Amino acid sequence: MGTDHQEHTGRHESMEQRADRNWDELMQELRVTQTGTQILTGFLLTLPFQSRFSELRTDQVVIYLCLVALGLTTTAFAVAPVSIHRMLFQRRRKPQIVRLSNRFAKLALATMVLLVGGIALFIFDVVLGRTAGVVAAGAGLVLAVSLWAALPLWARRGDETEDERARGEER
């Protein structure tokens, strides 16, 4: 029998090796999040320089400004792990770095859900009207929440059920 960690994960790795592996996986995930966030935020930042921007209604400008703030917030959450890593680099704190960065990655995903829904609202509202914007935002939110939260939670629940069955068979 190995350590509790080895039995739990099925891997033969030290705590430091696990933290290194988790950090590498987290960085791969954040690369996707950061790229998507940067593209969406960059798109938003170009809009005031378009000729039609002055035609927006006041409520559309408010939605736009909220989206810019949300895009900047999402970017800050997605980039925070890099800063955490830099500040704690070579201080033997990798497990803490991974835990903190994981929280910021989750915050980035949560705000990105709102950003995606808000962008759908904004674009459809400007092009087709408020009703279409609300429908598009709702559909975008349902899709993002389903794929980014509900599906992973459902899959995790299935793993927990299998773990419970395996523990029952061992007894």
Side-chain angles (χ1 to χ4, degrees):
M1 287 227 170
T3 66
D4 287 338
H5 172 68
Q6 289 172 344
E7 289 175 16
H8 177 68
T9 65
R11 296 177 185 263
H12 300 286
E13 58 189 1
S14 68
M15 186 179 290
E16 292 81 14
Q17 290 169 324
R18 179 179 184 214
D20 287 341
R21 178 178 53 81
N22 287 339
W23 175 253
D24 289 342
E25 290 175 9
L26 184 60
M27 284 297 98
Q28 291 300 326
E29 294 165 5
L30 284 172
R31 282 184 183 96
V32 173
T33 305
Q34 288 170 345
T35 301
T37 301
Q38 289 168 346
I39 290 168
L40 291 174
T41 303
F43 155 75
L44 288 170
L45 295 177
T46 65
L47 290 182
F49 305 103
Q50 304 301 314
S51 60
R52 278 194 62 200
F53 190 81
S54 61
E55 298 173 19
L56 295 178
R57 298 184 318 260
T58 302
D59 60 320
Q60 291 172 328
V61 172
V62 169
I63 292 169
Y64 166 76
L65 292 173
C66 289
L67 289 172
V68 169
L70 195 53
L72 296 173
T73 301
T74 304
T75 299
F77 288 155
V79 175
V82 175
S83 177
I84 292 167
H85 184 262
R86 278 297 97 211
M87 296 303 210
L88 298 177
F89 183 67
Q90 293 186 337
R91 294 182 182 259
R92 299 178 188 263
R93 311 254 310 263
K94 187 66 76 77
Q96 181 184 16
I97 293 168
V98 170
R99 278 192 307 278
L100 279 170
S101 297
N102 180 52
R103 288 184 185 128
F104 278 105
K106 288 178 181 178
L107 286 170
L109 284 172
T111 55
M112 194 169 203
V113 165
L114 298 174
L115 184 61
V116 166
I119 288 175
L121 169 67
F122 180 72
I123 291 173
F124 278 79
D125 183 35
V126 169
V127 174
L128 297 175
R130 181 57 48 95
T131 301
V134 170
V135 170
L141 288 171
V142 167
L143 180 63
V145 168
S146 296
L147 294 176
W148 300 348
L151 180 62
L153 288 172
W154 175 80
R156 186 170 76 181
R157 188 180 143 270
D159 290 344
E160 291 168 358
T161 303
E162 288 177 23
D163 290 344
E164 289 170 4
R165 262 189 259 129
R167 281 193 296 270
E169 292 172 5
E170 291 174 1
R171 293 181 185 160

